[in-house]
């Protein structure tokens, strides 16, 4: 990952119905999105663990966005 150019432009293509949508982005922006979106999934995992597996210990911060943690401190 240290060899990536985070500012390198890329074009994302997505097929929606019969149309191909193209969006310009960068490698860095897409990696940041993946990190942020994974936190959303961690929050869902946390809810399931707390409801179905209460004996599993999990950090209070797990599944909370970094920006939220920084804002609330």
């Amino acid at each position: 990952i240290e060899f990536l150019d985070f500012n390198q432009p890329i074009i994302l293509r997505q097929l929606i119905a019969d149309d191909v949508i193209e969006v310009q982005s960068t490698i860095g922006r897409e990696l940041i999105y993946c990190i942020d979106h994974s936190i959303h999934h961690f929050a869902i995992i946390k809810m399931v663990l707390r409801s179905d597996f209460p004996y599993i210990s999990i950090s209070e911060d797990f599944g909370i966005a970094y920006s939220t943690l920084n804002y609330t401190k």
Side-chain angles (χ1 to χ4, degrees), residues 7-26:
N7 295 313
Q8 179 179 341
I10 59 174
I11 297 175
L12 304 173
R13 291 182 182 92
Q14 176 69 44
L15 179 64
I16 300 176
D18 293 329
D19 296 321
V20 175
I21 306 298
E22 292 186 351
V23 177
Q24 294 181 5
S25 190
T26 64

Side-chain angles (χ1 to χ4, degrees), residues 5-46:
D5 176 2
F6 294 113
N7 295 313
Q8 179 179 341
I10 59 174
I11 297 175
L12 304 173
R13 291 182 182 92
Q14 176 69 44
L15 179 64
I16 300 176
D18 293 329
D19 296 321
V20 175
I21 306 298
E22 292 186 351
V23 177
Q24 294 181 5
S25 190
T26 64
I27 289 176
R29 192 262 174 245
E30 295 306 315
L31 287 173
I32 289 170
Y33 173 79
C34 289
I35 292 167
D36 285 344
H37 192 74
S38 67
I39 294 170
H40 156 77
H41 287 272
F42 295 160
I44 295 168
I45 291 167
K46 182 179 180 179

Side-chain angles (χ1 to χ4, degrees), residues 38-68:
S38 67
I39 294 170
H40 156 77
H41 287 272
F42 295 160
I44 295 168
I45 291 167
K46 182 179 180 179
M47 289 187 312
V48 172
L49 287 174
R50 286 191 169 164
S51 69
D52 296 351
F53 304 95
Y55 50 88
I56 295 177
S57 177
I58 192 161
S59 168
E60 287 295 319
D61 293 348
F62 186 78
I64 299 175
Y66 301 118
S67 58
T68 302

